[in-house]
Amino acid sequence: MQWVIPAEENAAFVCQMEQVLDVYEQPYDADFPVVCLDESPKQLLDYQEFTASNGQPHRDSEYVRRGVVELFVATEPLRGWRELTVENDTTKPPRGCSLWPG
């Protein structure tokens, strides 16, 4: 992957990114864990599958939209821990995830 940094933002961006990366180089400390949070909406799509006359399976290019879910991920990379929660309600943080702000 190639990073594209706008020319006018180079120095400030690199400085901030180096500070973030420095956190990951520190040794693990259970009293001060490094926890990362992320969320991502995902569409639920339903494709029609069929078998062609030659016996080959195919999936139609048309789909039916079956809604959206929100993926919430909390990780503690230095400990090797992660939690993934999938929620149908995209307006609220995940239930039972005490790490999520809000």
Side-chain angles (χ1 to χ4, degrees), residues 35-97:
V35 177
C36 306
L37 305 173
D38 198 9
E39 62 182 305
S40 178
K42 297 295 177 192
Q43 287 191 74
L44 302 176
L45 305 177
D46 191 9
Y47 291 90
Q48 181 73 26
E49 296 184 1
F50 61 93
T51 303
S53 58
N54 64 0
Q56 293 283 42
H58 289 281
R59 184 168 78 173
D60 197 343
S61 61
E62 293 185 23
Y63 60 86
V64 176
R65 190 165 184 245
R66 300 289 185 195
V68 177
V69 295
E70 192 76 23
L71 303 180
F72 293 92
V73 180
T75 67
E76 193 178 342
L78 298 177
R79 186 170 64 120
W81 170 86
R82 69 177 175 255
E83 177 182 313
L84 171 66
T85 304
V86 180
E87 294 290 328
N88 289 326
D89 186 349
T90 60
T91 63
K92 298 178 185 175
R95 297 179 305 258
C97 183

Side-chain angles (χ1 to χ4, degrees), residues 7-22:
E8 65 277 1
E9 301 293 333
N10 276 349
F13 178 84
V14 170
C15 180
Q16 293 296 318
M17 184 54 79
E18 286 178 349
Q19 290 179 0
V20 170
L21 295 174
D22 286 345

